[in-house]
Amino acid sequence: MRSVIVDCAIYRDGARSEGPADFSDALDEARARGDAFLWIGLHEPTEKEFELVTSEFGLHPLAVEDALGAHQRPKLEVYDDSLFLVLKPVQYDDKAGTVTAGELMVFVGDSFVVTVRHGEANPLGSVRDRLEKTPEVLQHGPTAVMYAVSDAVVDHYLDVADALHGDLEELETEVFAPNAGAGQNTAGRIYAFKREVMEFRRSTGPLGEPMERLSGAGVPFVHEGSRPFFRDVSDHLTRVNEHVEGLDRLLSDVLSAHLAQMGVRQNDDMRKISAWAAMAAVPTMIAGIYGMNFTHMPELEQSWGYPAVIVLMGGVIALLYRWFKRRGWL
């Protein structure tokens, strides 16, 4: 168990206090005090490693199954003895242009908080340090940890959304550049970027309903004084979701504009090809007529016949070139 326990501490009156090294004894001590709670953080525990935590804290088997299996949507489940919140922290690699989502589960019950983290996104060490520096928030009990974790995840969503928007502006500039699309798979890049935005949206969108429930009344194990904090998280999440929806719409518009540009360029290319083909057809037609070798073709016996035909060919080609140039075909 020690390999998966990131940290384990008792908090009383908004401050961290020393407790037994064994988390079972620490939980008994926190419950005996009445005004304290235990916070234990786990990182990717196995089923066997999580069995002791399940039995000691009385966690619901369905929630335990979700916590071990991961690959869950953000959600809030209310059980008789605990709350179960699923969050999906994300990381954005701007060099590779990929969004990677982890999973973070929070159990809140009688005098305890258990956090289970899968993946490397958004470690909780900084959250614990920041929360320990704000005892007025920690005094709200286990709910304070749930709020702090949710706030950290949603705040990082804002950073990821800003980074995605910056990369989208660069992609938009490339799409509307004069030489855009020359030897580049622009449509593929736009579609790949859209998939990353969709992956981000899977993490942010479903979280809105749990945050609204936590900010309202009627949810057990939620301290009355922490509801305004959850409302603040819900407001930030709304901004993120609006930002993500804007990114998705803008990406669709950029893709449509790129495809329209490609259609216009193809039309321009076809007009140029047609213009050159028309100019090539004139000498071909004239040469074909004079290559039929009929006996009665007067021009063949005249000394000026050959120069006249050459001048005729050149003149017609010049007239066609000038006409196509004025029409914008060349």
Side-chain angles (χ1 to χ4, degrees):
M1 280 297 297
R2 292 187 179 276
S3 61
V4 300
I5 296 177
V6 179
D7 201 351
C8 180
I10 296 176
Y11 294 89
R12 182 181 182 185
D13 294 330
R16 181 170 180 151
S17 61
E18 296 297 329
D22 184 78
F23 69 83
S24 301
D25 296 335
L27 178 61
D28 293 338
E29 181 177 327
R31 285 175 171 170
R33 290 180 178 180
D35 59 350
F37 70 91
L38 173 68
W39 180 6
I40 177 172
L42 306 175
H43 181 237
E44 297 183 351
T46 63
E47 182 177 357
K48 185 176 182 180
E49 292 170 334
F50 205 57
E51 285 180 357
L52 182 58
V53 177
T54 302
S55 60
E56 289 294 332
F57 291 88
L59 304 179
H60 196 279
L62 292 178
V64 172
E65 182 181 351
D66 290 343
L68 291 173
H71 304 294
Q72 303 296 318
R73 296 175 72 251
K75 62 180 180 178
L76 176 67
E77 299 286 354
V78 180
Y79 298 104
D80 293 336
D81 299 324
S82 63
L83 287 179
F84 178 59
L85 176 66
V86 179
L87 303 163
K88 293 184 74 69
V90 299
Q91 283 184 330
Y92 179 56
D93 186 349
D94 55 352
K95 293 183 179 179
T98 56
V99 174
T100 305
E103 293 204 24
L104 184 58
M105 289 78 171
V106 183
F107 294 88
V108 171
D110 179 21
S111 302
F112 72 84
V113 179
V114 178
T115 55
V116 182
R117 181 166 59 89
H118 293 269
E120 299 302 323
N122 214 50
L124 297 179
S126 59
V127 176
R128 189 184 290 261
D129 293 339
R130 185 167 63 253
L131 193 57
E132 290 175 355
K133 295 177 182 178
T134 54
E136 66 277 7
V137 178
L138 266 176
Q139 287 178 353
H140 294 158
T143 313
V145 177
M146 181 177 284
Y147 151 71
V149 171
S150 303
D151 185 56
V153 170
V154 173
D155 283 348
H156 191 61
Y157 285 164
L158 289 170
D159 296 335
V160 172
D162 290 339
L164 285 170
H165 187 76
D167 287 352
L168 178 56
E169 287 181 346
E170 294 180 3
L171 183 59
E172 187 178 12
T173 301
E174 293 180 10
V175 167
F176 292 102
N179 60 343
Q184 301 176 3
N185 185 18
T186 306
R189 292 177 57 201
I190 296 174
Y191 185 74
F193 198 96
K194 193 174 180 68
R195 286 185 61 87
E196 299 306 320
V197 172
M198 185 182 299
E199 178 68 23
F200 185 35
R201 195 172 190 172
R202 290 195 188 103
S203 300
T204 64
L207 188 58
E209 189 267 341
M211 290 299 105
E212 289 182 3
R213 290 178 61 189
L214 289 170
S215 62
V219 181
F221 303 105
V222 177
H223 191 278
E224 182 70 26
S226 65
R227 291 194 177 111
F229 294 96
F230 282 111
R231 280 197 293 270
D232 181 66
V233 176
S234 181
D235 290 342
H236 290 177
L237 184 61
T238 300
R239 287 174 50 198
V240 172
N241 285 328
E242 289 175 351
H243 203 159
V244 173
E245 289 178 4
L247 287 173
D248 188 60
R249 287 195 300 268
L250 187 56
L251 270 171
S252 298
D253 293 342
V254 169
L255 181 58
S256 298
H258 171 68
L259 294 177
Q261 282 184 324
M262 294 300 295
V264 170
R265 291 193 186 98
Q266 288 177 351
N267 289 336
D268 289 341
D269 292 340
M270 288 302 298
R271 285 190 297 181
K272 291 178 181 179
I273 294 172
S274 299
W276 287 110
M279 288 187 288
V282 171
T284 302
M285 180 187 68
I286 296 175
I289 291 173
Y290 282 92
M292 290 188 292
N293 296 324
F294 285 110
T295 302
H296 302 288
M297 295 184 72
E299 297 85 354
L300 297 178
E301 299 176 359
Q302 303 297 326
S303 60
W304 49 264
Y306 177 77
V309 170
I310 296 298
V311 170
L312 176 63
M313 290 180 180
V316 174
I317 292 174
L319 288 174
L320 287 175
Y321 180 83
R322 186 177 179 182
W323 185 73
F324 286 134
K325 196 71 173 178
R326 285 183 177 181
R327 296 289 300 272
W329 286 40
L330 293 175

